[in-house]
Amino acid sequence: MSLTDLTATALLAKLASGDVTSAAITEAFLRRIELHDGQVGAFLRVDRESALAQAEAIDRKRRGGDPVGRLGGLPVAVKDVLCTRGEPTTCASRMLESFRPPYDATVISRLKAADAVLVGKTNMDEFAMGGSTENSAFRPTRNPWDLTRIPGGSSGGAAACVAASMSPLSVGSDTGGSIREPAALCGITGLKPTYGRVSRYGLVAFASSLDQIGPLAWTAEDAALLLEVLAGYDPADSTSVNLPVPRYTETLGQPLENLRIGLVREHFDQGLDGEVEAAVREAIRVFESLGAAVRWISLPHSKYAVATYYIIAPCEASSNLARYDGVHFGYRTDQRAMVAELEAQRKCLEQAGDEAGLDALDNALVRLYRKTRSEGFGPEVKRRIMLGTYALSAGYYDAYYLKALKVRRLVRDDFDRAFGEVDLIAGPVTPTPAFPLGAKIDDPLAMYLFDLYTVSTNLAGIAGISVPCGFSRGGLPIGLHLQSPPFEEERLLRAAHRFQQATDWHRRRPRLAADVA
């Protein structure tokens, strides 16, 4: 078995024993990236020289007897939505193509302090808006299990790079399913922590009340390792919660006595693919064989979750993305071309004697904003900005945004009542396995409905994890969704780990063309 086939935990054990160096591990994964990323498209940027320099510095610390951090020289890939000092942070958008932040996001600082080797920035849907990683301004990411299909989104690159064994760990963000959906479709483990568990400082915002950063890895054990590094209070983030961070890796083996699992009636209804349902039901039988008690529960307001999410998230996006105006930072339209275009328009208006048109043409700043934003943003980002701006506009705020906030409270109340009866909630992550590239890109409603089972987790601010639980007849991965009460990631990870000890879905690896050759 090659180094790139090993889990992060196994690699860390080899590092600790001196069997292998961080430089050797990093080199192995960099070669893997060179071999496969041309077809997968998981990365937007890989800095080979920097990664090897980081690895060699960590090896020197270990040889000199100095203490090394929790990650001890493990390669980690990072979604390109996290600010990294002096390095391009594009959010897969032309708007930020040349942006180099002057500071590190808190999670980047914590990764560096833990002696992670940062190998590169991963591809994503532009500004994290999408569920397929087809909305990247630079190129789509493909699913390593079937290169004709999507990897999920918006953290598609972060999931695909782990699934293709190009990094043992990666960091993504989840606003409505953007860690869990790609994890499910790529056959790996992905955890969305409770809102406030991981600092959002330095995360380029999509929807500030929904965004959360979390780990992607092959196993729950690896996810627990990475979450220990990412989690914790941060005074720089006003939404960060000041609670101690458990040593998740040390409690994974503790028994889950009298575990009560709830199955949501509304999630096993029309629209759920038969193969996905069969795999999820079989996963539940595994939990029953391990001693869990399973019962049906109801989340009656879950049927409103997608509609609620797609009002709140675009409203927050409209506000957050207003800063990209072509003045302060980021993309700015070619002003010479704009001036030439305006002169041509002016001549036409003068010839027509259109005084109102001439007056409108005179607001140069508005023209700069309009042209910059129309050129810098992609179609999906524009769609969501327009949806949000409309819902926040005078006369519509109460009818849409305010009502959505009230329904959000009802969604959270449903979960609170359910967790009075059960310890965890289980179900599907996605309605179907990965669909073909291009199949839904021109049908926004169909794309949004793919988030049916995940957005309520973000609306309620609770934790959720996707673990591999089977494959379709076509060889595509299927994920099991487990949800826990707020700040019960320890319980979530223990349940996921126990399931993975009893199954082998997480041990399967895709075979890419160069591997077969």
Side-chain angles (χ1 to χ4, degrees):
M1 181 178 285
S2 70
L3 290 173
T4 56
D5 288 327
L6 298 176
T7 64
T9 304
L11 289 169
L12 197 58
K14 283 184 170 292
L15 284 164
S17 67
D19 289 347
V20 70
T21 64
S22 175
I25 291 173
T26 302
E27 178 65 43
F29 280 101
L30 288 170
R31 284 200 304 269
R32 182 90 182 163
I33 293 169
E34 291 170 0
L35 187 63
H36 291 297
D37 201 45
Q39 51 184 324
V40 177
F43 285 91
L44 289 176
R45 183 173 183 272
V46 175
D47 191 335
R48 180 184 180 85
E49 290 185 7
S50 174
L52 288 173
Q54 294 170 58
E56 288 161 2
I58 295 164
D59 286 336
R60 284 195 297 272
K61 286 174 65 175
R62 188 175 270 114
R63 285 195 301 269
D66 296 329
V68 295
R70 188 76 179 92
L71 297 178
L74 286 176
V76 179
V78 177
K79 185 177 180 178
D80 199 26
V81 73
L82 289 161
C83 289
T84 308
R85 187 172 183 266
E87 302 293 335
T89 301
T90 71
C91 296
S93 177
R94 297 291 181 193
M95 187 63 80
L96 290 177
E97 190 170 4
S98 301
F99 177 56
R100 284 170 169 74
Y103 66 98
D104 279 334
T106 295
V107 295
I108 296 294
S109 297
R110 288 180 174 167
L111 289 168
K112 290 179 177 178
D115 283 330
V117 174
L118 302 181
V119 292
K121 291 292 195 72
T122 58
N123 200 8
M124 55 185 282
D125 287 296
E126 183 181 7
F127 283 101
M129 298 182 195
S132 63
T133 318
E134 294 172 284
N135 293 316
S136 170
F138 304 112
R139 61 173 175 169
T141 298
R142 298 173 181 272
N143 193 314
W145 293 92
D146 181 342
L147 296 174
T148 69
R149 293 178 182 266
I150 64 147
S154 63
S155 305
C161 79
V162 173
S165 298
M166 294 189 282
S167 179
L169 298 169
S170 68
V171 179
S173 67
D174 190 311
T175 307
S178 289
I179 288 174
R180 292 158 292 152
E181 288 181 21
L185 300 183
C186 289
I188 65 170
T189 301
L191 186 146
K192 173 225 168 294
T194 307
Y195 186 79
R197 174 59 88 185
V198 178
S199 172
R200 294 184 302 108
Y201 179 74
L203 171 72
V204 180
F206 163 16
S208 300
S209 76
L210 301 165
D211 299 337
Q212 188 59 195
I213 299 163
L216 295 108
W218 276 112
T219 67
E221 187 176 20
D222 288 356
L225 169 68
L226 186 50
L227 185 60
E228 284 181 4
V229 172
L230 301 178
Y233 175 66
D234 178 16
D237 175 6
S238 62
T239 65
S240 176
V241 177
N242 193 359
L243 288 174
V245 178
R247 288 301 292 264
Y248 301 112
T249 53
E250 294 179 2
T251 60
L252 284 173
Q254 293 180 3
L256 284 163
E257 297 178 355
N258 304 315
L259 181 67
R260 302 169 300 167
I261 296 178
L263 297 181
V264 183
R265 291 188 185 91
E266 292 84 359
H267 290 179
F268 290 84
D269 204 346
Q270 189 175 6
L272 179 60
D273 177 82
E275 289 184 295
V276 173
E277 181 175 358
V280 170
R281 286 184 181 274
E282 180 57 34
I284 298 304
R285 283 191 282 273
V286 171
F287 274 109
E288 288 180 312
S289 72
L290 296 172
V294 178
R295 60 179 296 178
W296 288 98
I297 61 170
S298 180
L299 298 175
H301 294 96
S302 62
K303 61 186 176 183
Y304 305 117
V306 170
T308 300
Y309 174 86
Y310 279 101
I311 292 174
I312 293 174
C315 284
E316 295 187 13
S318 171
S319 176
N320 280 325
L321 272 62
R323 71 193 70 178
Y324 304 109
D325 54 13
V327 176
H328 298 93
F329 62 91
Y331 175 81
R332 178 183 294 178
T333 188
D334 184 340
Q335 290 177 290
R336 289 170 301 178
M338 186 180 77
V339 169
E341 180 182 323
L342 291 172
E343 288 304 318
Q345 291 178 17
R346 181 178 295 279
K347 287 181 181 178
C348 291
L349 292 168
E350 286 174 347
Q351 290 173 358
D354 188 344
E355 296 297 329
L358 286 167
D359 290 342
L361 200 64
D362 284 335
N363 192 334
L365 191 58
V366 170
R367 293 198 302 273
L368 175 65
Y369 291 164
R370 182 185 297 122
K371 195 162 180 61
T372 291
R373 290 166 69 82
S374 67
E375 293 172 358
F377 289 135
E380 182 60 29
V381 175
K382 291 177 189 175
R383 180 182 293 117
R384 297 199 193 195
I385 289 173
M386 289 189 289
L387 282 170
T389 303
Y390 178 83
L392 289 173
S393 62
Y396 296 101
Y397 179 94
D398 289 352
Y400 293 103
Y401 184 63
L402 185 60
K403 185 176 288 185
L405 293 180
K406 292 177 179 178
V407 176
R408 180 181 189 170
R409 179 70 257 183
L410 296 175
V411 169
R412 175 60 186 265
D413 289 345
D414 284 349
F415 278 106
D416 289 343
R417 281 190 292 272
F419 286 125
E421 303 175 10
V422 297
D423 303 306
L424 296 175
I425 294 172
V429 182
T430 60
T432 71
F435 52 83
L437 287 155
K440 298 182 189 291
I441 197 69
D442 295 322
D443 188 348
L445 182 58
M447 190 76 81
Y448 297 168
L449 288 172
F450 204 68
D451 301 337
L452 181 64
Y453 307 127
T454 56
V455 293
S456 56
T457 314
N458 301 77
L459 291 171
I462 62 175
I465 192 170
S466 172
V467 292
C469 71
F471 283 82
S472 70
R473 285 187 294 274
L476 298 172
I478 296 169
L480 170 70
H481 194 200
L482 298 174
Q483 297 163 284
S484 75
F487 303 103
E488 290 290 348
E489 288 85 1
E490 189 175 19
R491 183 190 304 170
L492 203 59
L493 286 161
R494 284 163 60 200
H497 179 64
R498 189 171 179 184
F499 176 78
Q500 290 182 334
Q501 285 181 311
T503 61
D504 70 349
W505 305 115
H506 60 287
R507 295 190 179 95
R508 303 193 183 188
R509 303 288 189 267
R511 298 285 289 170
L512 293 166
D515 296 326
V516 177

